[in-house]
Amino acid sequence: MFAYGHGATLVDVDGREYVDLAAGTMTQSLGHSHPEVVRAVTAQAARLVNVHDNPTPARLAAARALARLLPEHLGALGFFTTGAEVVEAALRAAHAAAPPGRTRIAALRRGFHGKTRGARAPVQWDVGTEPPAPSLLGYPAYCYRCPFDATYPSCDLLCARLTVRQAVARPDVAALLAEPVQGAAGVIVPPPGYWEIVGRACAEHGVLLVADEVLTGGGRTGRFLAAEHYGLTPDLVTLAKGLGSGHPVAVLAGSHRVLDERTWRAAGGLGSTYGGNAVGLAAAASTLTVLRRDDLLVRVRELGAVLADALGELAEHPAVGEVRGLGLLWGVELVADQATKTPDPEAADRVYRRALDLGVRVMPGGQTLRLAPPFVIKPDELTDAIRRLGRAIDDVHRDRATHGERA
């Protein structure tokens, strides 16, 4: 039971400390309880909390902070609360902007866009009891588990070309909703060329590109948007987790061509009960100001190199199938057998628990341990935490081998 946190450290009710390599839920980009964010939120709560979507100084400050960091073409903004809510808003906007006859939303297999019904519809995950929705799905560039048993680059990016042929190049598709780097699927980082093919096809076929950056947006990968790594110019972008230092705030950013004042308002897409919450927007403005002022995007890239080096040794462990990542977003995929690549979610759960015993918190997801430390973590703190994570993996592996379980 965690009682409080500061920087990259969490402290439980018994006084034990943990290095938080998950940054809350990938939300605490500036670490826990950043003093400037705390001051901004406290001051705002004493003045004004909510007047629906009306203009406020906090709203203006957040919009200006975003404008300094977003690509120039994403000049229209709408404020929401959660990742799922802003994804649903993006889908409403895409449908409102689409010409007649374009009614389908394409997505990528393994993508995750939220747990509400509309956000889940493009890619059905096994959550809850709802029946699968009819989906139009392309292929992500999950090279480690290529469904075609091909090898990059000799594969000629078959996954991208099939995505274009089967999902993008259809006359009834309004938009492609996709994460530039898939997070919930286990940190799937596409190789060079994938998004160049798919992004170019969206433009050529008149399909809106909706980049879901709820997890990656805000600098997590070393650029403010992960799309920037691939030269993408999405028509719409969703952001949430990294914006408000744990306070509920999400943003839909788009070109004025898509987020047109008349069609957007006519579609009823802009309103949100808590989307104009001044406290959340004060947190976002403060978070983004610190991010820019302190050159934290550069720091993320530098720490990303430290993290990559530290994880290099783990990649050789017999329980590890692959280590992959970008900036300060990495995944360690555990397998029961390296030759067969058999997924081992049970081992991942045990490693997660053992790492907690050793004072390190990560984020499990299936067979993959996801790592997303705060941008303010110290290099030696980061390398020590990875050393302890390696010990946790080794402890679980040896314990299973000793007791006759699968190695």
Side-chain angles (χ1 to χ4, degrees):
M1 184 182 294
F2 298 114
Y4 62 93
H6 53 85
T9 302
L10 285 167
V11 184
D12 68 17
V13 293
D14 297 316
R16 292 190 64 214
E17 294 189 349
Y18 306 79
V19 179
D20 188 7
L21 294 185
T25 315
M26 304 189 186
T27 52
Q28 310 306 122
S29 299
L30 304 185
H32 295 277
S33 303
H34 190 282
E36 291 187 48
V37 178
V38 170
R39 286 195 294 270
V41 167
T42 303
Q44 185 61 53
R47 289 196 300 266
L48 180 68
V49 175
N50 194 315
V51 283
H52 197 228
D53 280 313
N54 291 83
T56 63
R59 189 184 187 95
L60 179 60
R64 284 176 169 166
L66 279 162
R68 296 185 188 104
L69 291 160
L70 282 168
E72 188 174 350
H73 78 282
L74 298 174
L77 303 174
F79 292 102
F80 300 88
T81 54
T82 67
E85 187 191 24
V86 73
V87 165
E88 297 223 12
L91 295 178
R92 292 196 299 274
H95 282 302
R102 290 189 177 269
T103 59
R104 303 287 298 275
I105 301 293
L108 299 180
R109 290 168 173 83
R110 299 181 181 271
F112 181 75
H113 306 289
K115 294 178 182 176
T116 55
R117 190 178 183 97
R120 286 177 58 203
V123 186
Q124 191 73 22
W125 280 55
D126 293 329
V127 180
T129 58
E130 297 172 15
S135 299
L136 187 60
L137 299 176
Y139 293 92
Y142 192 1
C143 296
Y144 180 66
R145 297 188 181 279
C146 177
F148 313 110
D149 292 324
T151 302
Y152 178 84
S154 60
C155 62
D156 195 31
L157 289 165
L158 180 60
C159 53
R161 300 185 189 283
L162 286 178
T163 296
V164 172
R165 186 187 311 167
Q166 298 177 5
V168 175
R170 290 177 51 115
D172 59 346
V173 172
L176 172 66
L177 169 66
E179 304 158 273
V181 174
Q182 291 187 330
V187 190
I188 309 304
V189 182
Y194 177 86
W195 276 117
E196 287 82 346
I197 293 171
V198 176
R200 183 170 59 248
C202 286
E204 290 174 352
H205 292 277
V207 172
L208 297 177
L209 178 57
V210 183
D212 183 349
E213 300 242 15
V214 164
L215 190 151
T216 53
R220 174 57 58 189
T221 65
R223 302 290 180 188
F224 189 69
L225 299 179
E228 296 177 66
H229 289 285
Y230 303 102
L232 287 175
T233 53
D235 301 284
L236 294 168
V237 173
T238 61
L239 305 100
K241 287 183 180 293
L243 296 188
S245 293
H247 294 268
V249 58
V251 171
L252 177 62
S255 67
H256 288 282
R257 177 180 64 85
V258 178
L259 291 185
D260 175 82
E261 181 76 10
R262 290 173 302 172
T263 58
W264 181 226
R265 287 189 179 277
L270 190 60
S272 170
T273 298
Y274 297 102
N277 185 287
V279 173
L281 293 178
S286 179
T287 300
L288 296 172
T289 297
V290 172
L291 181 76
R292 183 171 181 267
R293 184 198 67 205
D294 294 352
D295 290 326
L296 291 184
L297 295 181
V298 174
R299 182 174 175 82
V300 168
R301 295 195 289 273
E302 294 172 347
L303 286 172
V306 172
L307 182 53
D309 288 342
L311 289 170
E313 294 183 17
L314 290 188
E316 304 303 318
H317 195 284
V320 175
E322 186 178 52
V323 172
R324 53 184 175 262
L326 191 62
L328 286 180
L329 177 63
W330 285 75
V332 179
E333 184 166 351
L334 301 184
V335 294
D337 182 270
Q338 287 183 331
T340 62
K341 302 182 181 179
T342 305
D344 202 344
E346 182 187 350
D349 182 65
R350 290 196 189 188
V351 170
Y352 164 73
R353 295 173 186 277
R354 178 59 181 145
L356 280 176
D357 293 337
L358 297 173
V360 175
R361 178 175 178 262
V362 298
M363 182 175 291
Q367 71 268 17
T368 302
L369 302 170
R370 291 174 293 164
L371 314 178
F375 302 172
V376 296
I377 193 170
K378 297 175 182 176
D380 58 346
E381 193 176 20
L382 181 57
T383 54
D384 179 66
I386 297 303
R387 179 189 59 79
R388 284 187 269 172
L389 176 61
R391 178 182 165 188
I393 293 173
D394 201 47
D395 286 351
V396 169
H397 182 70
R398 285 189 287 106
D399 182 65
R400 298 175 87 187
T402 299
H403 292 87
E405 300 177 55
R406 61 184 181 179

